[in-house]
Amino acid sequence: MLRLISATPSPYARKVRIALTEKRIPFELLTEVPWDSTTQTPQYNPLEKLPVLILDNGKSVYESHYILEFIEAKYTDVMQLLPRNDVDGALFAKQVEVVADGICDALVLLFFEQQREDGKRSEEWMARQRRKVDGGLKALAAWIGDKKFFVNDTFGLADIAAGSVLGYLKVRFPEHSWRETYPHLARYSEDLEERQSFKDTVPRPQTISDKIV
Ligand SMILES: N[C@@H](CCC(=O)N[C@@H](CS(=O)(=O)O)C(=O)NCC(=O)O)C(=O)O
C-alpha cells in the first residue's frame, strides 16, 4: 500500500491527502514533525521536506506538485484532477497551484520569522512575505470570482491547491482579514470544506520540540 509522510498542519501534504481521498486511492498516513530530529523524512527526501509518497517498491516521490502529477499520470482509471482535452484549462489549474503554493511558501517563511527571538526578527522580511500572501490572495479572488470551481465548473487540482492554502490561513493566521476582503473567496473556501476529503484533512497545529530558527 502507498504510504504518505505528512504533518498535521501541512498545506502541501493536505493537497496530496485530498487528492488521494478524492481519487479513492488507499494509503497509509505517516504523521511526522519534519523539524524534529526524530523525523524519518530525510531517509526518503534529500531535501528533508514532507509530504513524501512512499511507493510499494520503496521508492519515494516528493514535492507536493510533483506527487500530484505522479499520481495523476500513474492512476489513470480514477477521477482526474486535470481536464484531459483542455490544455489551456490544465495549464491554468497548474498556474493556480503555483500561486497557492507560493502563498504557502510565504506563510511558512513568515511563521518561522515570527518565531525568532525579540530583536532578531526582520520587519522588512516579514513585510515582503505579507506582500506575497496578499498579492497571491488577490489573484485567487480575481480568478475565482463567483464561480464554484476554478476550471470548467469541475472540482480539480486548482481547487485542491487553493482550498489547502485557505484552510492553512484559517489555522495558522486566523487574524488575517482575507475573508472580509474577499467574501466570494471565503464562501468558495467554506463550500470546499464541506467535501469529505476536506473534512478528513482539516489542518491542526503541531508541537515542534527542537529549536530550528
Ligand atoms: N515545496 C514543498 C514544500 C514542503 C514543505 O515546506 N514542507 C515542510 C512541512 S510543512 O510546512 O508543510 O508543514 C517541511 O517538511 N519542512 C521541513 C524543512 O523544510 O526542513 C512541497 O510543495 O511539498
Side-chain angles (χ1 to χ4, degrees), residues 10-12 34-35 48-51 63-64 108:
S10 176
Y12 309 98
W35 315 99
E48 301 192 7
K49 292 185 175 189
L50 58 80
E63 190 63 31
S64 62
V108 169

Side-chain angles (χ1 to χ4, degrees), residues 68-147:
L68 293 180
E69 192 167 348
F70 182 96
I71 294 166
E72 187 90 344
K74 288 287 192 179
Y75 294 80
T76 53
D77 58 347
V78 298
M79 170 265 196
Q80 293 294 293
L81 300 179
L82 291 170
R84 282 199 167 115
N85 304 312
D86 176 2
V87 172
D88 290 333
L91 289 171
F92 173 54
K94 292 186 178 187
Q95 183 180 12
V96 172
E97 182 180 31
V98 165
V99 171
D101 283 1
I103 297 170
C104 288
D105 296 343
L107 288 170
V108 169
L109 289 172
L110 182 56
F111 176 79
F112 284 112
E113 191 67 21
Q114 291 170 337
Q115 307 300 309
R116 295 190 189 284
E117 299 161 17
D118 289 347
K120 292 190 176 178
R121 287 186 294 272
S122 165
E123 291 302 327
E124 294 80 2
W125 182 251
M126 292 192 290
R128 175 177 291 274
Q129 305 316 319
R130 290 192 185 98
R131 281 203 313 273
K132 294 169 191 276
V133 172
D134 294 342
L137 287 169
K138 183 177 180 182
L140 294 182
W143 285 331
I144 195 63
D146 59 0
K147 295 187 296 184

Side-chain angles (χ1 to χ4, degrees), residues 34-35 39-50 52 62:
W35 315 99
T39 181
Q40 62 175 326
T41 300
Q43 297 170 33
Y44 294 96
N45 178 358
L47 304 173
E48 301 192 7
K49 292 185 175 189
L50 58 80
V52 180
Y62 39 84

Side-chain angles (χ1 to χ4, degrees), residues 24-44:
R24 289 176 171 61
I25 298 171
F27 67 101
E28 180 187 349
L29 189 67
L30 306 176
T31 299
E32 293 254 330
V33 180
W35 315 99
D36 286 350
S37 57
T38 55
T39 181
Q40 62 175 326
T41 300
Q43 297 170 33
Y44 294 96

